[in-house]
Amino acid sequence: MCKTKKSTDVIEPNNSTTTSRISRSSPRKSSEAYRSSQKSSGDPSPTTSANYTSYKDSWQSSTSSRNSLFTLRESLPENAHIYDFSLICSATNNFLAYKFSASSSSSSWRCQIRGNDVVVFQRKFRRSIDTEKLRQRLSLICKSHHSSLIKLRGASVSGNYIYLVYDYVHGANLANCLRNPKNPNFTVLSNWMSRVLIATDLAHGLDYIHHSTGLSSSFVHNHIKSSSIIVTEPSLNAKICHFGTSELCGEIAEEEEEEEQQEVISKSSRLKRSDSRVLKFEGTRGYMSPEFQSTGVSTQKSDVFAFGVVILEILSGQEALKYKIDDESGGYERISVIETARKAVEGGGGVLRRWVDKRLKDSYPMEVAEKMARVGLDCVEEDPKMRPDMGQVAGRISKLYLESNNWAGKMSSPTDFSVSLGPR
């Protein structure tokens, strides 16, 4: 890094610098300094030694100050922007540009903002949030970093809507990778190690959200599902979308509402949906925990439930929830991946092998697959108190990844390969 003359003098003090400064003085002062140095060519005087010590201490103080400034800079929010709404309008061509995605709760546009390839998500506020509090939350979230999370760059507010600006990540969502809409018999995740790697990435990413973001112990994601997870190309790593959305959109209750939430959750077995006084939120069928369906209150345990459903999807390749026509009755039959997984684990080896995705072609360690299925089932326990903490889940899945890696080494199966997520 280039330094100015002044900074160079402070950081790198040496005799040449001192000499050059003296030489630029008047000739008389220079000669006097030279004669003075000749007279004291013996042991340095106390005054000279004290000056040197003072100079050395000042240099160490400068170095300490630079380290302190570096630490301060590292602790400040990084790229925490509240964008001007006109900038969002300009980037999305007044929202007339082709939509990157759309759902009942949000719309998104891929665009360029300040030279960065980003995706802008439009969401409606669930609660009103003070501007200063929104800025603080945004700063905390933008400062958080994890390899399994898509980075939030900033946000903009207009009326009842918030526009969240995320980095664009090249890849496809996990749902499409598992269930190719154009070719159901094909999947890019045809290798066992690729699926275990995705499960490991997701576990550590969600564990970071719950325990390491520094926001609060009650911070939840609230949008965990296979369509909200990006599988990157060509590494086939997993990244979680919508990190911070629930916090910035007002989906998480304030501290004064926590007692009311706990009261509602404790009485959820006796309540109907219309009995809850707490503001309710939309969820995705198949990923909503029983207590969330009853109360509309999102918690870390409801995140764990949704994560367990995703794990069972990764193993089986099945949808979280689907309906098919019953040939005998002519009605619709409800099929849940949770129910099919329980039957498979209870049935033993043969039933479990038929449940695991056939496109893996039986090339996987059976014991590890059963352990992974049990982890998923532990996460979807009906009683939230029986579900494990994400820290425990991440540890268990990491061990299963190591066991799978050892199995792959013995089988001499390729673990490093590149694929294309493009349509076939």
Side-chain angles (χ1 to χ4, degrees), residues 19-34:
T19 304
S20 63
R21 286 182 175 179
I22 295 174
S23 63
R24 286 195 295 271
S25 305
S26 63
R28 180 178 298 176
K29 291 182 178 180
S30 178
S31 60
E32 288 176 359
Y34 177 78

Side-chain angles (χ1 to χ4, degrees), residues 110-134:
R110 181 183 173 185
C111 56
Q112 293 280 332
I113 294 182
R114 296 178 180 174
N116 297 309
D117 195 1
V118 299
V119 179
V120 177
F121 286 88
Q122 178 195 52
R123 286 185 176 273
K124 193 171 184 179
F125 279 113
R126 300 297 184 179
R127 286 185 178 86
S128 60
I129 303 178
D130 180 73
T131 303
E132 184 59 32
K133 185 173 292 185
L134 178 65

Side-chain angles (χ1 to χ4, degrees), residues 147-164:
S147 59
S148 297
L149 302 179
I150 297 180
K151 180 176 176 58
L152 175 68
R153 288 195 168 270
S156 180
V157 177
S158 177
N160 294 327
Y161 290 91
I162 184 170
Y163 298 85
L164 303 173

Side-chain angles (χ1 to χ4, degrees), residues 50-86:
N51 290 340
Y52 174 76
T53 303
S54 176
Y55 187 77
K56 183 178 180 181
D57 290 342
S58 66
W59 176 74
Q60 291 177 345
S61 177
S62 299
T63 304
S64 176
S65 298
R66 287 195 303 114
N67 292 335
S68 299
L69 289 173
F70 178 80
T71 304
L72 177 61
R73 182 175 63 84
E74 288 297 305
S75 66
L76 290 175
E78 193 170 294
N79 297 331
H81 297 297
I82 293 186
Y83 296 104
D84 190 89
F85 184 63
S86 61

